[in-house]
Amino acid sequence: MTSFDSFAMVDWSGGNDTGPRPRKDAIWACVVRKGRAEEPIYLRNRKIAEQWLHNLIADEIASGRRLFLGFDFPFGYPKGFAHALTGSDDPLRLWEWFEERIEDTPKANNRFDLAGEINRRFSCRGPFWFNGLQRDIDGLPKNKSDYHNPFPDRRSVELNPEAKGSFTCWQMGGTGAVGGQIMTGLPVLARLRRVFAGKVSVWPFEALDTPVAFVEIWPSLTLGAGPEGRIKDAWQVEQVAMSLAGMPPEELAGHLNVTAAEEGWILGVSQHKPDIAPPPLRNDCFALPAGVNWTPVDDALALLRQRLTVVTATEMVALPKATGRILAEDIIAKRSNPPQPNTAVDGYGFAGAAPEGPQVMPLHPGRAAAGIPFDGLVPEGHALRVLTGAALPAGVDTVILEEDVTVQDNHIAFHGPLKQGANTRRAGEDVTEGDLVLPAGRRLTPADLALLSATGIAKVLVRKTLRVAVLSTGDELVEPGKSAGPGQIFDANRPMLLSLIDRLGFQPVDMGRVSDDREDLRARLNSAAKQADVILTSGGASAGDEDHVSALLREAGAMQEWRIALKPGRPLALGLWDGTPVFGLPGNPVAAMVCTLIFARPALGLMAGEGWQDPQGFDLPAAFEKRKKPGRREYLRARVRDGRAEVFASEGSGRISGLSWAEGLVEIEDGARHIKPGDMVRFIPYGSFGL
Ligand code: AMP
Ligand code: MG
């Protein structure tokens, strides 16, 4: 239940009576009732403030209005403090504990003495510090030179970068300090809570199912000092009350939806649920239907799509760091674009349409430019100089292009007709506040950053980057750059796969090479499973004597040999190693690359949180002839020249030069085909795979 009828915000103070004349750093409050703001109220001391709060709560309850009551001091202390004093983690017990001990009058209170008394239970060097009195207090350090705090310095909420600039609960005085406000504030709240027992609930410790909610706010979270001539405290409580009163209930509910049992929270600071990775994949996720010999490509893809799930946790990143990252939640516009109606051109603005024929209008003094609005009203029949991007001033809804106008003797002349609204942009014509801007799963592009910025989004919740381990297997492999003996070849797959993973927007993890030795391979897989979310191996995936990848996966009981009806490609060993999915790719570089693009890539995308991505191909006339038997799908190394698809002269799957020559793949369907030059074939550029 988060809709309220009245919103009252209170800016608290731990100081003494501030006299009859309204002044800053005193207690200020502002009420917005049924959407109407009252004048901010000056409350010169806490006794008066408590009485005022009492009356407000009683009135609102009596009138059947739900009251949201915000206070600008912490409702709880950092972890462990409540328990140390009261034997309970419940912050509301701590409220009562303070209420029993704080003596407060308009002219004096014992908060520094109580801070000293508390410190004497610990090291006498903390947790509290700062003494605002003339006399020394045993146990209360005046400054932080020998300070020692047995508790955390800050609450979790204060560690959030959004709460930058907040003060700790431990500082008892000095400009901006809140230590004194809490100690003098909590006893007042504790009493009100008792007087109105059952009618008041405290956020975020209790369910807000009563007529009155006490909520911790911090106006400086979003507000500066305010306009000149206004008392900051008065202005801030008014602004916060109006903004919360005007907020859609769903949005307010979103802000109120936090869990912070002991320490409390500041309304408006975002809280992200603990960063727990989603559950691992099921052991049987790669199981193929029994009795099937050769699995068609589409069936294999459908299986992967159906079985695999997101495996990455989430994190918040600032917009400049978000390119290429995958959104973990839907993004809703915080602001319309454009935020207000404005002119699309440099020219002259006036009201209404201009009829056919010559027009003359007196020029109104002043101008409106982007970021420098024109304050006054443009009188009917007058025109004002406007520059591109300027907010339309009152009295202007139509703009004539500067090039179409002659200016003379303080008048403009042009030829009609001109439609009403010409050359202007409507507020929100691009995006309206509250619109879905980008969906979860979107991989952010540079243009997306522009869209997010324009709609008021400064940081986004994204998926952690999927870590993909790459491992080569084979006794014959030598590291490029080393000398290769007879029978040895350089490891070509690993550099290719690592770079491919990087290009696809995942994080490559180089697991090196391993010889055809089962124990070595086992150790390497163990280590890869710890460091990565997915493992790609190449080589050793068939059923031969030296095919240890498939042997080990089979031994682990979570292996499937995928005999996919595909050329080039078979075999593909899919399995889970210690819960981590393994794609056992064929050793032939051409097959390794094709299998990665066709199978691993969409699977990785799904696990990374970007959803299933089908590569976009298009049909082109062939520049080649080919006969193909039915039974399996084929991918040919291809490129486009003069609008026709050429294919590499040799289909040998060890021909690495062809991979490099190609700029994409021609996909030939599973059935039989006789392709003649000029026949249409499907070409998928490497770019469509995200390369
Ligand atoms: P395998 O799948 O292990 O039977 O290997 C099939 C073919 O691919 C053999 O000719 C291997 O020598 C070759 N091969 C395996 N791994 C690589 C690699 N990392 N770089 C280049 N060729 C490889
Ligand atoms: Mg091998």
Side-chain angles (χ1 to χ4, degrees):
M1 219 170 53
T2 47
S3 69
F4 293 89
D5 307 294
S6 310
F7 290 80
M9 302 303 136
V10 182
D11 184 323
W12 201 249
S13 162
N16 290 337
D17 187 291
T18 37
R21 199 170 59 83
R23 44 158 286 183
K24 71 182 178 81
D25 296 334
I27 303 176
W28 282 90
C30 182
V31 184
V32 174
R33 201 176 273 112
K34 299 224 163 246
R36 277 194 39 250
E38 296 180 358
E39 275 299 305
I41 295 157
Y42 170 71
L43 298 160
R44 58 185 280 188
N45 64 49
R46 283 182 293 280
K47 208 171 147 62
I48 292 175
E50 186 168 342
Q51 189 58 53
W52 180 85
L53 284 164
H54 184 283
N55 295 344
L56 172 73
I57 295 172
D59 280 356
E60 296 307 297
I61 292 176
S63 315
R65 288 189 290 263
R66 274 201 92 205
L67 172 64
F68 179 114
L69 197 42
F71 296 92
D72 74 332
F73 55 84
F75 285 4
Y77 281 83
K79 230 177 178 37
F81 184 68
H83 194 274
L85 293 193
T86 67
S88 156
D89 292 335
D90 183 353
L92 298 173
R93 294 285 81 73
L94 187 63
W95 287 24
E96 288 157 7
W97 192 94
F98 277 121
E99 189 208 338
E100 283 161 24
R101 286 162 181 83
I102 282 286
E103 293 153 21
D104 198 1
T105 67
K107 292 278 172 231
N109 66 69
N110 67 341
R111 70 179 203 265
F112 293 110
D113 292 293
L114 184 58
E117 192 187 315
I118 295 171
N119 278 7
R120 292 199 293 279
R121 296 172 175 227
F122 303 102
S123 62
C124 284
R125 290 157 56 205
F128 293 105
W129 68 281
F130 194 101
N131 179 355
L133 303 180
Q134 301 296 326
R135 62 184 161 85
D136 283 345
I137 292 175
D138 186 20
L140 185 63
K142 285 198 157 67
N143 53 46
K144 290 187 91 174
S145 63
D146 190 31
Y147 176 70
H148 172 78
N149 188 351
F151 302 101
D153 243 1
R154 292 185 172 275
R155 301 183 292 158
S156 296
V157 64
E158 290 150 1
L159 295 174
N160 186 317
E162 292 172 18
K164 215 172 126 218
S166 57
F167 278 71
T168 72
C169 302
W170 310 116
Q171 186 181 337
M172 289 302 294
T175 317
V178 291
Q181 298 189 39
I182 310 177
M183 269 197 207
T184 55
L186 293 185
V188 173
L189 300 197
R191 275 191 293 277
L192 290 170
R193 206 175 149 259
R194 200 176 33 254
V195 173
F196 295 100
K199 306 277 190 208
V200 172
S201 24
V202 181
W203 179 82
F205 312 128
E206 299 177 305
L208 301 188
D209 50 8
T210 53
V212 182
F214 286 179
V215 179
E216 178 183 337
I217 57 164
W218 184 37
S220 301
L221 181 66
T222 50
L223 298 172
E228 234 186 84
R230 288 213 53 188
I231 292 173
K232 173 184 160 191
D233 321 56
W235 178 76
Q236 285 195 339
V237 285
E238 181 187 85
Q239 292 301 306
V240 177
M242 289 199 314
S243 114
L244 289 176
M247 190 176 278
E250 319 78 72
E251 192 181 337
L252 182 58
H255 287 309
L256 289 169
N257 180 20
V258 307
T259 333
E262 178 182 346
E263 299 183 332
W265 198 261
I266 299 168
L267 186 77
V269 173
S270 23
Q271 186 184 51
H272 290 287
K273 303 303 168 209
D275 205 10
I276 299 170
L281 301 171
R282 291 165 51 110
N283 228 12
D284 60 355
C285 68
F286 292 126
L288 288 176
V292 176
N293 223 344
W294 287 99
T295 307
V297 171
D298 287 338
D299 293 5
L301 290 174
L303 268 174
L304 288 176
R305 182 174 191 164
Q306 185 191 324
R307 304 274 179 77
L308 295 176
T309 49
V310 184
V311 299
T312 47
T314 59
E315 63 184 338
M316 264 327 248
V317 298
L319 223 46
K321 295 215 165 32
T323 327
R325 302 299 300 271
I326 299 164
L327 285 178
E329 61 184 6
D330 289 348
I331 303 291
I332 307 297
K334 286 194 177 162
R335 196 174 198 224
S336 294
N337 183 49
Q340 65 266 312
N342 66 91
T343 167
V345 297
D346 289 346
Y348 296 86
F350 46 84
E356 178 94 44
Q359 309 292 326
V360 177
M361 280 181 197
L363 203 47
H364 192 70
R367 59 165 216 173
I372 312 168
F374 178 81
D375 262 348
L377 169 81
V378 177
E380 175 91 48
H382 288 59
L384 182 81
R385 175 76 172 134
V386 295
L387 299 176
T388 307
L392 296 184
V396 170
D397 62 9
T398 305
V399 173
I400 175 92
L401 201 65
E402 147 177 304
E403 289 86 332
D404 296 341
V405 169
T406 37
V407 186
Q408 211 186 321
D409 300 333
N410 265 330
H411 281 72
I412 62 164
F414 62 92
H415 282 280
L418 194 67
K419 272 203 215 126
Q420 182 165 33
N423 298 313
T424 65
R425 308 170 178 138
R426 274 182 297 109
E429 70 174 21
D430 180 24
V431 179
T432 308
E433 182 184 326
D435 280 356
L436 173 69
V437 189
L438 291 169
R442 170 81 175 186
R443 200 184 268 279
L444 294 174
T445 64
D448 292 343
L449 300 201
L451 178 59
L452 292 170
S453 266
T455 50
I457 312 293
K459 52 192 172 38
V460 281
L461 188 70
V462 295
R463 293 275 162 200
K464 291 196 167 156
T465 306
L466 188 81
R467 298 161 305 167
V468 183
V470 173
L471 174 62
S472 289
T473 72
D475 283 335
E476 73 279 29
L477 299 181
V478 181
E479 198 67 10
K482 296 274 157 54
S483 66
Q488 295 191 307
I489 59 170
F490 293 114
D491 181 359
N493 288 345
R494 207 166 93 248
M496 170 179 75
L497 293 173
L498 286 168
S499 127
L500 213 132
I501 292 305
D502 184 48
R503 280 287 192 95
L504 294 177
F506 309 118
Q507 187 189 320
V509 180
D510 186 357
M511 295 306 299
R513 274 176 307 109
V514 63
S515 58
D516 288 320
D517 176 283
R518 204 161 289 192
E519 290 321 304
D520 284 354
L521 180 59
R522 188 196 303 279
R524 204 69 68 92
L525 286 174
N526 284 339
S527 141
K530 286 201 181 66
Q531 297 175 52
D533 304 304
V534 187
I535 305 169
L536 298 190
T537 65
S538 70
S542 311
D545 293 347
E546 295 298 330
D547 290 318
H548 300 291
V549 173
S550 44
L552 279 175
L553 288 176
R554 192 172 301 115
E555 187 188 301
M559 141 82 180
Q560 286 290 322
E561 187 187 342
W562 282 40
R563 307 204 318 151
I564 298 166
L566 164 80
K567 183 187 171 186
R570 58 196 175 184
L572 197 61
L574 295 185
L576 285 183
W577 187 264
D578 208 5
T580 305
V582 181
F583 284 76
L585 303 166
N588 275 309
V590 177
M593 175 148 164
V594 168
C595 284
T596 304
L597 293 181
I598 302 299
F599 291 101
R601 174 192 172 257
L604 295 175
L606 211 55
M607 290 187 276
E610 64 178 327
W612 186 266
Q613 306 281 325
D614 282 315
Q616 295 299 309
F618 48 93
D619 292 341
L620 284 175
F624 59 93
E625 172 157 15
K626 178 179 167 69
R627 277 177 195 279
K628 176 184 167 294
K629 292 198 203 108
R632 62 180 176 172
R633 182 161 313 173
E634 285 197 31
Y635 290 94
L636 308 177
R637 282 149 281 173
R639 63 183 197 181
V640 179
R641 288 294 179 272
D642 301 325
R644 287 148 52 101
E646 299 177 348
V647 296
F648 192 60
S650 161
E651 291 181 15
S653 83
R655 300 286 188 104
I656 304 176
S657 61
L659 271 184
S660 163
W661 170 92
E663 292 161 5
L665 302 173
V666 156
E667 180 183 63
I668 309 176
E669 60 272 43
D670 303 7
R673 230 192 126 176
H674 180 191
I675 298 165
K676 292 185 284 302
D679 289 355
M680 298 304 265
V681 289
R682 163 69 37 120
F683 176 74
I684 310 172
Y686 283 156
S688 283
F689 294 102
L691 292 187

